[in-house]
Amino acid sequence: MVKGKERENREESEGFNRCLPPEKVKISKTKSRSDQNWLGLSSVSSWVYGPSSMEPQDADYTDIPSLNYELETLILARMPQSEHWKLCILNKRYLSLLKSGELFKIRREIGIKEPSVFMGTIGENSWWEFDGEFKTKRKLPIFQTDISFLCGDKESFSAGTHLLVSGKEFDGLAIWRYELAMNRWYKGPSMISPRCLFASATCGTFAFVAGGVGKEPNGEVFDTAEKYNPESKSWDPLPRMKKRRKFCSGCYMDNKFYVIGGRNEDGELTCGEFFDEVRNRWVLIPNMLKDNPVLSSHSPPLIAVVNNELYSLEASSNQLKVYLKSSNTWKQLGLVPVRADFNRGWGIAFKSLGNELLVIGSSSVSSAGNSKAIYTCCPDPDAKELEWKLANRNISQFILNCAVMVA
């Protein structure tokens, strides 16, 4: 049993683990497998800033004029998130400020939007955080779940500075929540209607989920939807959708939560629908996927929104498409540099990353067989050809989950 002071010391040490600098990612050379982590990425930085249990020290700066507290906080809020570990080792006040979440609130208020990419792989209960340019990476703390949650299917999404991972434990469906400010995992909160195989989307500090099924995969398909609030750490119910659906995908576009595709007892769904918060109701979009069908053995639709335009990666053809809202049709933009057809869309990450599209999967331009790689591009619906940039290569394992957080 951990007593009060021991528990306090343990929680403080978890916070100090964040004082370690992120590792830099090197992509120009590939080292031996023994030098690589589960992502197959080599580290340039082998140094760490002292022992992990090191506490921040309050230095004596009595001879140096101090800044106004509010001005000082505004300056710290403008630091890149990948540099926040330095605040932990300056003094305890900075560490307390970081853990309070105040810096992230100020960043939102002044319009700073810095994306980070979180990845988990099959069979691992550790996650990695990458900066938006994939130059540095940081291993998150491990959360204590069971083997069922660890090895089973999971969904992941973000809401503000919370990363939520939903899956099935032996006792039922569960959600684990990682809080960026605290650098810790917490269990819950459970959804009003716990579910899996659902659609999700992020809008600023909120997240939306819809559809899916309960604990039993072959059970009743849901038409319910919910909204997550990270401030209150709670879920609010939304009106029911027009269609029951599982294996569907979600996105946020035109200030509306879209749910697209999926299947139910009637078979594959080619319709979509969106939730209008102003009118508090769902609106059906017939035949939204009529030119972009998703087969029963394929993953849910691979979709992402960049600059308020909806893009889709067709798993059967590896074609990138953009949705034309005025005609309810899709326009081809060319092939992506990954083979989504290798596993019928499973194991492919297709996300929006600020003003770019992010795709992770088996490279179609590599000579290394089933080598996986990370690519980004700035999409243009009117472009004749898109230019994809290689952000990293030689990822060694199957990517089970990927989520983007903007903080």
Side-chain angles (χ1 to χ4, degrees):
M1 180 176 180
V2 181
K3 296 183 178 179
K5 187 64 177 176
E6 293 173 340
R7 183 183 296 111
E8 180 181 337
N9 291 338
R10 183 183 68 184
E11 293 182 356
E12 286 296 312
S13 67
E14 290 176 352
F16 298 140
N17 285 339
R18 191 170 181 173
C19 299
L20 301 179
E23 299 176 10
K24 296 180 181 178
V25 175
K26 184 177 181 181
I27 66 172
S28 58
K29 296 181 180 179
T30 303
K31 295 187 177 182
S32 64
R33 184 171 298 273
S34 61
D35 294 330
Q36 297 175 337
N37 54 45
W38 63 267
L39 282 173
L41 302 175
S42 303
S43 170
V44 174
S45 304
S46 58
W47 54 274
V48 293
Y49 192 98
S52 61
S53 60
M54 178 180 176
E55 296 190 8
Q57 301 297 316
D58 288 317
D60 183 8
Y61 297 127
T62 55
D63 295 331
I64 302 176
S66 60
L67 290 172
N68 173 278
Y69 178 82
E70 292 184 0
L71 177 59
E72 184 181 61
T73 304
L74 284 172
I75 293 173
L76 295 176
R78 284 172 163 80
M79 288 182 62
Q81 192 208 128
S82 59
E83 301 292 318
H84 280 185
W85 63 272
K86 296 177 180 178
L87 299 180
C88 302
I89 60 178
L90 289 177
N91 58 48
K92 293 181 179 179
R93 188 178 77 80
Y94 285 179
L95 176 61
S96 177
L97 180 65
L98 185 62
K99 294 173 70 174
S100 72
E102 184 66 23
L103 291 183
F104 294 108
K105 291 180 181 179
I106 295 174
R107 287 165 68 87
R108 287 195 298 271
E109 291 172 357
I110 61 180
I112 295 179
K113 297 181 179 180
E114 183 181 348
S116 298
V117 181
F118 293 82
M119 292 190 209
T121 187
I122 191 167
E124 294 271 355
N125 67 338
S126 59
W127 282 64
W128 288 81
E129 177 193 3
F130 291 80
D131 71 284
E133 297 181 349
F134 293 91
K135 292 181 178 179
T136 62
K137 66 183 188 297
R138 180 175 69 91
K139 188 176 183 180
L140 303 189
I142 293 175
F143 58 96
Q144 301 300 322
T145 185
D146 58 36
I147 192 68
S148 176
F149 191 95
L150 182 64
C151 297
D153 292 332
K154 293 180 282 291
E155 280 89 15
S156 61
F157 53 96
S158 67
T161 56
H162 289 188
L163 169 68
L164 294 100
V165 183
S166 173
K168 184 186 296 184
E169 294 183 333
F170 287 127
D171 294 335
L173 296 172
I175 287 181
W176 282 89
R177 178 184 84 254
Y178 171 75
E179 295 189 11
L180 181 62
M182 294 297 294
N183 190 38
R184 290 189 61 193
W185 288 94
Y186 303 86
K187 194 169 184 179
S190 294
M191 297 181 196
I192 299 171
S193 299
R195 67 192 72 205
C196 59
L197 308 178
F198 55 86
S200 65
T202 299
C203 173
T205 59
F206 297 99
F208 297 84
V209 299
V213 295
K215 184 177 179 181
E216 300 300 327
N218 295 322
E220 181 184 10
V221 180
F222 291 174
D223 59 2
T224 56
E226 305 177 32
K227 180 180 180 180
Y228 176 70
N229 184 341
E231 290 293 327
S232 60
K233 300 180 180 63
S234 63
W235 294 90
D236 296 317
L238 300 178
R240 292 178 180 269
M241 294 189 295
K242 299 290 185 180
K243 296 283 187 179
R244 299 177 182 272
R245 54 180 89 216
K246 62 179 179 178
F247 287 108
C248 44
S249 294
C251 65
Y252 201 85
M253 178 175 63
D254 295 327
N255 298 316
K256 299 176 180 65
F257 172 39
Y258 280 75
V259 180
I260 301 171
R263 64 194 70 149
N264 59 23
E265 59 277 4
D266 296 326
E268 306 300 320
L269 296 171
T270 60
C271 62
E273 53 188 298
F274 63 82
F275 176 65
D276 188 333
E277 283 195 273
V278 176
R279 294 185 289 176
N280 195 39
R281 67 185 183 93
W282 289 89
V283 177
L284 193 68
I285 309 176
N287 299 318
M288 192 174 183
L289 291 179
K290 65 179 180 179
D291 299 326
N292 199 19
V294 178
L295 303 179
S296 60
S297 60
H298 285 211
S299 70
L302 299 171
I303 59 174
V305 173
V306 176
N307 296 326
N308 219 33
E309 299 286 353
L310 176 60
Y311 296 88
S312 170
L313 171 54
E314 189 175 79
S316 59
S317 65
N318 304 313
Q319 278 282 346
L320 178 67
K321 299 182 178 182
V322 61
Y323 179 63
L324 305 180
K325 303 172 188 176
S326 60
S327 60
N328 193 29
T329 58
W330 295 83
K331 173 187 173 183
Q332 291 191 2
L333 296 177
L335 296 174
V336 297
V338 301
R339 295 290 305 274
D341 59 329
F342 265 181
N343 291 297
R344 301 183 300 278
W346 299 105
I348 295 291
F350 185 67
K351 303 288 181 180
S352 59
L353 187 65
N355 294 324
E356 296 182 311
L357 282 174
L358 166 70
V359 62
I360 307 174
S362 299
S363 176
S364 60
V365 297
S366 171
S367 59
N370 199 31
S371 172
K372 295 179 177 62
I374 302 171
Y375 290 93
T376 61
C377 84
C378 293
D380 181 357
D382 299 321
K384 294 183 180 180
E385 184 177 357
L386 299 181
E387 181 180 350
W388 291 89
K389 297 182 297 182
L390 176 65
N392 218 302
R393 70 175 77 222
N394 296 326
I395 298 176
S396 60
Q397 290 204 25
F398 189 89
I399 301 297
L400 186 60
N401 293 101
C402 178
V404 174
M405 178 187 294
V406 179

